[in-house]
Amino acid sequence: MITTYKTITTPTQAEFKDKGSRFIAYAYPIRTLADVKKYLDPLKEEHHKARHWCYAYRLGVDGMQFRANDDGEPSGSAGRPILGQIDSVGVTDVLVVVVRYFGGTLLGVPGLIYAYKESTAQALAIAEVVEKNVEKTVWLKCEYPVLNEAIRIAKQYQADIVEQDLQLDCKLTVKIALADYEACIAAWKNTRQIEVDTEKPFE
């Protein structure tokens, strides 16, 4: 079971030049596929005179969502080298876009592979890489007198209370690290006064 994963914390940028061509790499932390378009479209506007906007991303704790896009460069010369660098750093939830301005001299496939690889490597080298816990969200419901006990158990397992609705019935939205998930839920259920739903919020 995967309980942690690595990603980057903030966007970074690096540039590599070869024979007049400029390769500007932008690395972004992302959470969803929608984030790819959110970052890619503004770059295309900002660099509208560029020749190519090649990119790659890897998403998800298991890293199973990924794509490598050559955007008109020879097949395998751009997207794959970018993705290869993301993988060599061992991160996920990361998008790298490399904007290329053509300098008038053809670099050939080996030259392109090196340029896309090197610009990506530089952008990722200056990124802060952090290790995060894989988390699951659960929802709690209890009467007000039991609230302190529900919160105490959450703190004991370093669970993060992300939302509270404190009425006659108290409802909490909590994120728990996967490594502590079973034990934390068992502790809540053992009180017999705290309802736990692992599928959806309480009405």
Side-chain angles (χ1 to χ4, degrees), residues 76-91:
S77 68
R80 284 194 175 279
I82 296 170
L83 185 63
Q85 289 307 298
I86 293 173
D87 292 346
S88 73
V89 179
V91 289

Side-chain angles (χ1 to χ4, degrees), residues 149-165:
E149 179 65 4
I151 293 173
R152 185 193 68 75
I153 292 169
K155 285 182 177 175
Q156 180 184 340
Y157 292 97
Q158 298 177 325
D160 186 19
I161 298 168
V162 294
E163 200 173 325
Q164 300 185 46
D165 179 11

